[in-house]
Amino acid sequence: MTADSNPALLDTEGPLGPGADGDPAAAGLPSARGPRARDTRAYLLYVAGKIGGAVVSLFAVLVTSFFLFRLIPGDPVKQMTGGKRVSAEQLAAMRKEFGLDKSVMAQFLDYTGNVLTGDFGTSYQFHAPVMDKITEALPATLLLTGTAYVLYTLIGIWLGTRTAWRNGKLGDRFNTGLALTLYSVPSFWLGLLLIITFAVGIGPIPGMFPTGGLESGGETGIAYVLDVAHHMVLPVITLVAVGYAQTLLVMRSSLLDEMGSDYLTTARAKGLRDDLVRRRHAVPNALLPTVTLMFVNLGTVVAGAILVETVFSWPGLGGLFYSALSVPDLPLVQGLFFVFSTAVILMNTLADVIYPLLDPRVGR
Amino acid sequence: MDTQDQHGRTAAPKTTAPRRPRGRLRIALAGGAAAFTLTAGLATPLNPAPQQAEAKAGDGKKVLTVAVAQSVDSLSPFLAQRLLSTSIHRLTYEYLTNYDAENNKAIPGFATSWKPSADKLTWTYTIRGDSKWSDGKQATADDAAWTFNKVMSKEGTATSNSNFVTNFKKVTAPSPTKLVIELKKPQATMAALDVPIVPKHVWEKVDDISKFNNDKMPVVGNGPFVLTDYKTDQYVKLKANKDFWRGTPKFDELVFKTYKDQDAAVSALRKGEVSFVAGQPALTPAQAASLKNEKNIKVNEGPGRRFFALATNPGARTLDGKKFGDGNPALLDKKVRQALFLSVDRKAIVDKVFQGHAVEGAGYIPPRFSDYAWKPSADQELTYDPKRAAKLLDEAGYKKNGDGKRVGKDGKPLDFRILCHATDPNDKAVGKYLKEWWGDLGIGLKVDCLDDVSVPWYAGEYDLAFDGWSVNPDPDFVLGIHTCAALPKKAKESAATDNFICDKKYDDLYAKQLAEYDPAKRADIVKQMESWLYDSGYMNVLAYPNAVEAYRTDQIKSITTMPKAAGNIYGQDGYWSWWSAVPAEGKSSSKDGSSTGVIIGIAAAAVVLVGGGALFALRRRSTAEDRE
């Protein structure tokens, strides 16, 4: 890839950088350090501002998660012991054990103090540290949603490019229509359809995949890896099917914006092949909005896919959140909410920090 | 063809023709390669997913897989609350006694016999000498004494089982085969102590019982199965205990596999991935109907242990008599309560709402517990009789006005609220019928469906509520929740009470039955309590929903239900179902389906592999061309 093909993406120093024509900086004059240093300072200030914003957001999440989940009706202790014989003394003992006998403010101070030391408390229902339960379920979620993320991003970018390049053609209309349809399909419903069709089997279609879970249990080594891959097929297809449309549509519309640009005509006039014009000139410029979307989506990878995880009995964070909410298991709900929010905030901040490097117009 | 394409073609006419199809192929191959990564599992002959319950060809192990919806809350018997966890404890530890699958009567378990002293305050249990822990050590009375003392000490064991020991004074083990429990007051439930006995030599090394989840595998126990593997929200694996005193289970391994979605679990059964699926608490009528016609699947429907009832708020109050809540005062009149129940058609509810998967309600204890089940006599019975209901309302002073609405003497119309569980479709459906039936009488009804009804319930802010409890073979607990002692200490505080009933006559009967050691006499007192509950109009038992569950007959040849004649399989009071299950011989039909799947998978993976190779070659060529 040559520098001229995509100045915005590659020339991180911006129009005043050493490569720009007529810039005194290119001549290496001492006075040229001024604007560059100013740029770096401006960028660092911008980054500091974004990081500061993220810290404030995290604190807001901490406070909100504590009070918000206390609005959920229900007595956690009573819910936990639902349907079992419990005496009043037992209930009181459990309240004391979980600190529920204290005032809400006292509980809040305990909670914030503990969170600052990395302690999210003990899950009511699992009698185990919240962080242990989260770290136990995190790999399963990252594996599932991470794989789906990579696939739907790639498919979305590729199909978005194709459809925009053939704007208005049958293929474009079909692909956009299909993507929009799948985007509007409830993921749990699609998951169930896939289970019935490809896990149980219908007519000539044999049941090829497991109906749920992450593994069969008892496998080791390569057999284990293959077993997990086998279990991943249907949930990943579900997530990709309902997820790729977003990337496709963003990619398509930003590429359509680029398509009338003069630099593309110039590129063609130079005699470049059509797919080179597309791949090396149009697509990199049109990728910017998609990159933002990619970061936003990357943040949600951690939050997983609650419905898909539930339908496929996937032992990840989504399923954990579902069971924590049904108690309600307050420490676990709070911990998960904090982790989910942190992931989104971090990824958004990262996008903010990286974006000026990709597009120098931002952050000035 | 758009301008760009044309442009491209004119710009490089020589290269266009071969390049376009190549681009498409490349993308198709890239997609294929991604799909291959995912489907790789299919290509392996080791593919183990389907037919876990089927005997595995290699080691000939017979595995019984049960689909469950619940998470395990804890594997510690001192902490576990949920049905799945306590069922696992039934399988891995012995209890002093067990319940006969025929008639629910107490039969020997860890204890071979038991008897009370003359003053009814000391119970002596003879502990069996042929029970060994799975690490080879002998299980003795000392283990039982240690367990009970640990529960009594309340050091972090407040979560589970302590209700069994509240009346205990002292527990000792004078010899390895003798356990002595001294009581503060006589207690008729001494043969129904559902406390798992743990091995002292393992548990005394635990630092803090309140934080120990007992998840170091394998877990030492002395039940019919040994806990060998557990992964949160995935599976619990148990292997047959070869040394179990009652005999080794027929299946080598028992797996409880988690399915968070009930429809997915039913699909897994249909496919043969699991051998058994239970409902939550029953399969829906639609699920049962769809499975009934499947080959190799048997839908088992047994009398349930739950009752489904309407409860009225008799005026919420604290233990010291302070009133709170906002229950409609009209319901303090027995005639009004009875009128409401006379205008409920229980048969229609069983037929229309439960679609036949339930039995019409009568007494408080389901008929499955035949010793304690009670039916009203003909003249006592409050059958569906809207005319009699209207008469009772007239007598109570709630006459119909010109608009057809019942109005009290104060001029206020008779309007009620009923608490319903938003998660239970039965509540909602019955709510609609009640609205219609009571509407015909001139009574207004608002159905309040909430995700969690416990807040208004404990605040006493309701008029009526849908109520339901699972009943144990020993009825002490469900009877106890209507005693005055169960009322909350403070207003709105959750307590053991079900719906604030507090009556001296009922309390006297309760105390009498608990102190009565003669089973027939005790049953008689229990029935008097049920009769009182029925007449009071506080509790109207509408139905006993059946337990509806299904299993694969090509994987399970036979299995014991409880009661044996026609009962349920999941969540029994003993370990009879899983201990007795006999594996089916021969090949399961779904096995063929899966091998076809594997063959197709192998073929698909092979195609993708070849495609992947071609992609690699093409990419190399492409970069070579670009270099040119």
Side-chain angles (χ1 to χ4, degrees), chain B residues 21-40:
Chain B
R22 196 189 70 194
R24 242 185 247 132
L25 177 68
R26 191 186 296 167
I27 298 303
L29 291 173
F36 169 68
T37 328
L38 293 170
T39 46

Side-chain angles (χ1 to χ4, degrees), chain A residues 74 136 158 165 268 273, chain B residues 2 7 19 27 82 232 452:
Chain A
E136 197 184 321
W158 175 68
W165 212 248
R268 287 196 187 93
R273 288 198 317 265
Chain B
D2 58 26
H7 196 80
R19 200 160 284 128
I27 298 303
R82 297 189 172 157
T232 312
D452 178 10

Side-chain angles (χ1 to χ4, degrees), chain A residues 87-268:
Chain A
S87 65
E89 289 80 32
Q90 275 177 273
L91 290 174
M94 286 177 79
R95 276 208 186 87
K96 190 150 183 270
E97 191 185 332
F98 296 124
L100 289 165
D101 53 340
K102 295 183 185 167
S103 72
V104 173
M105 263 332 278
Q107 287 184 46
F108 176 67
L109 291 177
D110 283 356
Y111 169 70
T112 348
N114 289 337
V115 166
L116 290 178
T117 59
D119 175 11
F120 279 82
T122 305
S123 154
Y124 294 165
Q125 56 176 337
F126 295 112
H127 305 274
V130 164
M131 269 302 140
D132 286 5
K133 295 313 283 182
I134 292 179
T135 43
E136 197 184 321
L138 185 65
T141 289
L142 288 183
L143 179 67
L144 175 68
T145 48
T147 309
Y149 171 80
V150 171
L151 286 177
Y152 70 64
T153 305
L154 290 178
I155 293 174
I157 291 178
W158 175 68
L159 273 180
T161 313
R162 288 268 143 178
T163 50
W165 212 248
R166 289 181 198 147
N167 181 26
K169 292 273 173 304
L170 185 68
D172 171 34
R173 289 205 302 273
F174 172 77
N175 264 314
T176 318
L178 179 70
L180 279 173
T181 311
L182 287 172
Y183 188 49
S184 358
V185 161
S187 54
F188 70 92
W189 182 76
L190 184 65
L192 274 175
L193 279 191
L194 289 178
I195 289 177
I196 291 166
T197 317
F198 297 107
V200 181
I202 279 184
I205 304 172
M208 288 179 274
F209 300 100
T211 44
L214 177 141
E215 54 167 314
S216 308
E219 308 299 330
T220 48
I222 290 288
Y224 176 76
V225 173
L226 293 174
D227 182 39
V228 172
H230 193 208
H231 280 77
M232 277 171 70
V233 178
L234 294 185
V236 166
I237 290 177
T238 312
L239 284 173
V240 170
V242 296
Y244 81 95
Q246 210 184 1
T247 316
L248 180 151
L249 295 174
V250 170
M251 189 63 208
R252 180 177 175 273
S253 73
S254 61
L255 190 57
L256 282 177
D257 285 346
E258 296 291 330
M259 272 167 48
S261 305
D262 292 340
Y263 71 89
L264 292 185
T265 318
T266 314
R268 287 196 187 93

Side-chain angles (χ1 to χ4, degrees), chain B residues 34 92-93 99 103 157 190 217 226 269 292 301 347 363 385 429 451 460 475 482 498 517 520 545 562 596:
Chain B
T92 49
Y93 296 106
Y99 299 97
N103 53 18
T157 52
M190 292 304 285
M217 302 294 155
V226 180
L269 179 81
K292 242 172 197 156
E301 186 159 353
K347 191 174 179 306
D385 189 349
D451 280 331
H482 296 309
D498 183 33
Y517 284 171
M562 187 173 177
T596 320

